[in-house]
Amino acid sequence: MFIVPLALTIYAFIDCLNTSEEDTKHLPKIAWVFIILLFWIVGPVVWLIAGKVRHTTAEGAGPASWQRNRRQQWVAPDDNPDFLKSLKDDRKPEAEAGDEPGRRDGGTGPDDKTPPTS
């Protein structure tokens, strides 16, 4: 029973410190810090209910609307079409030369049926 109020106080204290002065309601930010720390259980609850401006939009700011409005981010290089295109562009000079990498060095390729010359 001691851990829950302590965790609530720590959360409210950090939330109050991270909130800008413009987003605090009713009292200055320093007053909210003292209320949270002095009134151990009531202070954090009052801060969470009435101390901070909550930003909401008309259509709602849930995770689904956030996902729709954000820019697409690539997770891995093989998911990025620009990266895959750059790989194809890197292979074009080899294909234009007409030589396979193994034959360029005088070696044989894996599909080469002719024996190596000495």
Side-chain angles (χ1 to χ4, degrees), residues 2-107:
F2 180 73
I3 294 174
V4 174
L6 180 65
L8 181 67
T9 302
I10 291 171
Y11 175 77
F13 179 69
I14 292 172
D15 187 42
C16 182
L17 291 178
N18 288 332
T19 303
S20 67
E21 191 70 42
E22 294 83 30
D23 288 341
T24 57
K25 292 190 324 188
H26 307 295
L27 294 171
K29 187 174 173 179
I30 191 73
W32 280 113
V33 168
F34 284 124
I35 289 172
I36 291 169
L37 295 177
L38 292 177
F39 302 105
W40 200 53
I41 295 173
V42 178
V45 172
V46 172
W47 163 255
L48 293 174
I49 292 172
K52 180 177 173 180
V53 174
R54 309 283 180 209
H55 297 286
T56 58
T57 60
E59 51 187 65
S65 65
W66 180 75
Q67 288 287 335
R68 281 192 302 265
N69 294 332
R70 76 179 181 106
R71 197 178 65 131
Q72 178 67 31
Q73 297 287 329
W74 304 113
V75 176
D78 58 343
D79 292 339
N80 187 341
D82 294 330
F83 176 74
L84 296 174
K85 183 178 179 292
S86 72
L87 290 178
K88 289 178 185 176
D89 292 343
D90 289 344
R91 290 186 181 179
K92 282 185 181 178
E94 292 176 5
E96 290 173 359
D99 293 333
E100 293 179 9
R103 292 190 182 191
R104 203 177 319 145
D105 299 332

Side-chain angles (χ1 to χ4, degrees), residues 103 108 112-116:
R103 292 190 182 191
T108 60
D112 195 7
K113 304 279 192 258
T114 60

